[in-house]
Amino acid sequence: MKNENWFKWYPGRFKADTMHLSVEEEGIYRRLIDHYMETAQPLPNNLQALARIAGVTVDHIESCWPVLSAFFQLGQNEKLHLKLCDELVS
């Protein structure tokens, strides 16, 4: 299933959850959320794949990942899940 049109966005919730992020970390996180919602699939548990999705270098995502990883849960399918995205997709 692919959601090509739109999805609910909660700017207040996003802002509350991400105030501690740098602008770069926030941008990467937002691109990962957008990809998650566009594909209606959890993300790969692979920094090289995440870097491609976010449009950054592997070195860049590696430097940001210690902070960003706190937002994701590793599912039984070995994919990275975001609770709100899973709720919206289902």
Side-chain angles (χ1 to χ4, degrees):
M1 177 181 187
K2 187 170 181 171
N3 183 356
E4 296 183 29
N5 297 317
W6 64 276
F7 61 91
K8 289 182 182 180
W9 183 250
Y10 302 93
R13 184 174 178 177
F14 182 80
K15 186 176 178 182
D17 291 346
T18 61
M19 288 297 292
H20 65 288
L21 299 181
S22 70
V23 171
E24 292 171 319
E25 291 164 342
E26 182 179 332
I28 291 170
Y29 182 47
R30 179 60 199 260
R31 285 183 177 186
L32 295 176
I33 290 171
D34 287 347
H35 181 80
Y36 199 124
M37 295 305 297
E38 287 169 350
T39 62
Q41 297 290 320
L43 299 169
N45 184 23
N46 176 297
L47 290 182
Q48 188 172 26
L50 294 176
R52 279 194 305 273
I53 290 166
V56 298
T57 65
V58 174
D59 288 342
H60 197 138
I61 203 157
E62 283 176 349
S63 69
C64 295
W65 194 244
V67 174
L68 295 178
S69 64
F71 291 101
F72 297 91
Q73 304 297 319
L74 187 60
Q76 292 178 347
N77 58 0
E78 296 299 312
K79 300 282 185 173
L80 299 174
H81 290 260
L82 288 163
K83 182 180 178 184
L84 182 60
C85 290
D86 286 340
E87 291 171 5
L88 293 173
V89 165
S90 65

